[in-house]
Amino acid sequence: MDYGFYNPYLLNKLDTIDAEELMATPYAPKNFIVADMLPEGLTLLCGPSKIGKSWFVLQLCLCVALGRMFLGHNIISSDVLYLALEDTFARVKDRVARLTEECPTNLRFAVQAGTLGGELEEQLVNHKTQYPDTKLVVIDTLQKVRGACDPKAGSPTYGKDYADIGSLKKLADDLGIAIVLVHHLRKTQDKDDPFNEISGSTGLMGAADTALLLKKFDRASDHAELLWTGRDVQDGGVCLSFEDCIWETI
């Protein structure tokens, strides 16, 4: 059959690279916002309710904006966007005042944003265009950008979880930024693998580049452990204390 200039087989051709060309091609190394812990891409920060996740990410935002080490790790100083979607500007102001007397103009806040698959992606692209030095975006929390759930649909499936996180991962990759997405843990514990305690299906962690897990040793304790794992990081962890709303290494 003569297709002339049209060959339908070429339209579905895979874009491949052979091993020799792959190994000879230089690629830029992965940038880390927090050395050894938080690379560019999509990161899940998960912990039980009321453990201090919002204080944790606010402290992270301030350290990156002010150019200070975070929990003993070097950082890349940059502009930061914190979507504090469970708070008000008044509450955010009070929290910043408890952590620092400095007011970095390169740390910006919003308490409302669009939803995934709606306005959120365009809002983040526009913000990056307006503030091109932005390297870190924190979304607190995942549920706030997923919108209202249809009770007839039940819990999100693996495919839905993977698609939601995958869209934010692609956006982070396209913009060359780190997006930290705050999320919750299940109430049930998994002694074999605490990352299995992340609420939702395994599609959430499967699509994310990195996962951070923040867990107290017990509910009344001021001590916790921070664990991390991911595609571009070595598995690691550190013990922390939480006093006067500040997370510190022990």
Side-chain angles (χ1 to χ4, degrees):
M1 183 178 294
D2 184 10
Y3 290 100
F5 292 104
Y6 171 71
N7 189 334
Y9 298 106
L10 294 180
L11 295 178
N12 292 322
K13 183 180 178 181
L14 291 171
D15 183 14
T16 64
I17 184 172
D18 64 56
E20 182 180 20
E21 183 182 358
L22 175 66
M23 299 308 294
T25 302
Y27 294 99
K30 177 71 73 171
N31 290 322
F32 276 74
I33 306 303
V34 180
D36 304 320
M37 182 193 305
L38 178 58
E40 290 179 356
L42 194 284
T43 294
L44 285 172
L45 169 66
C46 302
S49 177
K50 309 303 181 186
I51 191 178
K53 298 187 296 294
S54 293
W55 288 105
F56 183 94
V57 291
L58 178 57
Q59 185 175 334
L60 167 66
C61 291
L62 285 165
C63 286
V64 173
L66 292 169
R68 296 175 177 171
M69 296 181 73
F70 178 67
L71 301 178
H73 292 251
N74 291 324
I75 58 92
I76 292 178
S77 181
S78 75
D79 288 14
V80 180
L81 173 63
Y82 181 18
L83 303 184
L85 303 179
E86 294 187 332
D87 290 315
T88 62
F89 283 127
R91 185 179 294 132
V92 173
K93 175 184 176 181
D94 289 343
R95 290 189 172 192
V96 171
R98 295 189 67 170
L99 294 184
T100 183
E101 295 180 353
E102 298 184 62
C103 303
T105 58
N106 62 339
L107 170 54
R108 300 172 180 91
F109 300 95
V111 295
Q112 292 183 331
T115 56
L116 280 165
E119 298 177 340
L120 179 64
E121 290 89 340
E122 183 178 358
Q123 289 171 338
L124 294 181
V125 170
N126 290 341
H127 186 87
K128 175 67 172 178
T129 301
Q130 185 177 3
Y131 303 105
D133 291 332
T134 301
K135 282 290 186 180
L136 173 64
V137 173
V138 172
I139 301 175
D140 188 2
T141 61
L142 168 60
Q143 193 55 48
K144 282 292 186 178
V145 296
R146 293 189 98 166
C149 294
D150 182 357
K152 295 181 181 179
S155 300
T157 62
Y158 178 95
K160 171 65 173 170
D161 284 342
Y162 197 95
D164 284 348
I165 300 303
S167 67
L168 282 176
K169 171 189 160 41
K170 183 179 185 305
L171 184 63
D173 291 342
D174 290 344
L175 297 179
I177 63 174
I179 296 178
V180 176
L181 193 55
V182 180
H183 191 44
H184 302 292
L185 294 181
R186 297 188 183 96
K187 293 182 180 179
T188 55
Q189 296 186 357
D190 189 318
K191 295 181 179 180
D192 295 327
D193 185 355
F195 288 96
N196 287 334
E197 299 172 26
I198 295 174
S199 181
S201 76
T202 55
L204 292 177
M205 187 169 166
D209 294 299
T210 310
L212 303 176
L213 204 64
L214 187 62
K215 290 187 62 179
K216 286 185 177 180
F217 295 113
D218 61 70
R219 192 66 187 177
S221 176
D222 291 329
H223 293 169
E225 60 179 349
L226 176 68
L227 306 174
W228 57 84
T229 188
R231 299 185 178 102
D232 302 299
V233 300
Q234 268 195 318
D235 291 359
V238 64
C239 291
L240 304 175
S241 65
F242 186 54
E243 297 181 16
D244 297 326
C245 305
I246 297 175
W247 289 99
E248 295 181 321
T249 56
I250 300 175

